[in-house]
Structure formats: C-alpha cells, structure tokens
Amino acid sequence: MRKTLTATAFVLAAALLTGCGGGEEKPADTGKAASSASPQAEKSEESGGSGVSEGPSHEVTIKIEGEGTGIVMYTLDESETPKVTLPWSKTATIAARGAEQEVGRLVIAAPGHMMTADGTYAPRATCSIVFDGKTVVDTKKDPGKPCSYKFK
C-alpha cells in the first residue's frame, strides 16, 4: 500500500511540475503607446497573454465514491489536495494547450485514506473520470487505486 501511495505521489508531482511554468511576470507599464504593439500581440494578451495555441475544449468530471472524509489529490484544471466528504466530484472545461496537443494532457484523481465519523478507516474509495459525457476510467473493480486519463 505504501508503494502505491508513493508511486501516486510521484505521478502527481510530475503532473504538477509539467503543468507549471509559462507564468512570466510582466513588467510595469512604462508608458509606451498601445499603438506600438502589434495586433497579434494585443490579441495574444487578450486571450491570456501566453500566445500558446489551444485545442478544443472538453468537459471532464472526476468522481470519488465511497464513504468518509479525507484527502483527495487531483489534476484537472488545477492541481489540488482538498479535504472532502464522499461522495465527491469536480467538473471543469479544459483543453490541451501548446505541446499538450502533441503529447497529451493528463487528468488524475487519487483518493486518499478516508475516515468515518467515529475515527475508523472507511472502506477503500473508488474513482472515475467522465470525458465529454462518457466514462473513460473507473476503478470500481479495484478500489483505492488512482485514476488517470490522457487526451490530446
């Protein structure tokens, strides 16, 4: 079990590191006229400032089912580890950006240990990923395992 949790932590850490970067700090306005920027640069700044192309948007839902309260680790539109009460789900509209359109974008959900109200361990939680209305990953036959799905 410890090896599974360690492996899950490494996978999530890699996903977090892969998703980081590109957040350059913009210098303060130096008073230059807006007309000096090219129309393409203005368009890029209006759409987020990165100038990175984006693929089609997809609605993705991650679900953790079971009982109890505990920590869930996930990477969807952001990467977080919230404390939740089961059943729990999160939906986001996301798209592959830049190089992700070639190598794929990874969605991950991993249930941690859940505790019941009386402080005992709850049975292992299951997870699933729904991609554009279709369930693409489900761990009902293997509770406690993390879910992952890569799309381009």
Side-chain angles (χ1 to χ4, degrees):
M1 182 65 176
R2 181 171 279 184
K3 288 181 181 180
T4 302
L5 290 175
T6 303
T8 302
F10 281 119
V11 168
L12 288 172
L16 287 170
L17 292 174
T18 302
C20 293
E24 292 181 9
E25 190 173 317
K26 293 183 181 180
D29 186 12
T30 58
K32 291 183 181 178
S35 62
S36 65
S38 70
Q40 185 176 8
E42 288 177 16
K43 183 177 179 183
S44 177
E45 286 184 19
E46 289 173 7
S47 64
S50 67
V52 175
S53 65
E54 190 171 284
S57 295
H58 301 279
E59 182 175 271
V60 182
T61 301
I62 52 176
K63 298 178 183 180
I64 308 293
E65 297 179 21
E67 60 183 72
T69 303
I71 301 292
V72 171
M73 297 178 285
Y74 72 89
T75 299
L76 191 56
D77 53 345
E78 70 274 336
S79 296
E80 293 189 22
T81 55
K83 184 174 182 179
V84 301
T85 299
L86 300 184
W88 175 86
S89 68
K90 175 134 175 116
T91 300
T93 301
I94 59 176
R97 297 180 298 260
E100 293 172 339
Q101 293 177 67
E102 294 296 320
V103 298
R105 181 167 180 178
L106 190 60
V107 175
I108 300 171
H113 291 288
M114 299 294 159
M115 303 295 286
T116 62
D118 66 3
T120 60
Y121 283 112
R124 291 182 178 176
T126 62
C127 66
S128 61
I129 298 174
V130 179
F131 186 81
D132 287 337
K134 180 181 176 191
T135 301
V136 293
V137 178
D138 189 339
T139 65
K140 287 183 180 165
K141 292 184 180 179
D142 203 2
K145 298 288 182 176
C147 293
S148 66
Y149 181 71
K150 186 189 286 189
F151 70 94
K152 294 183 180 180

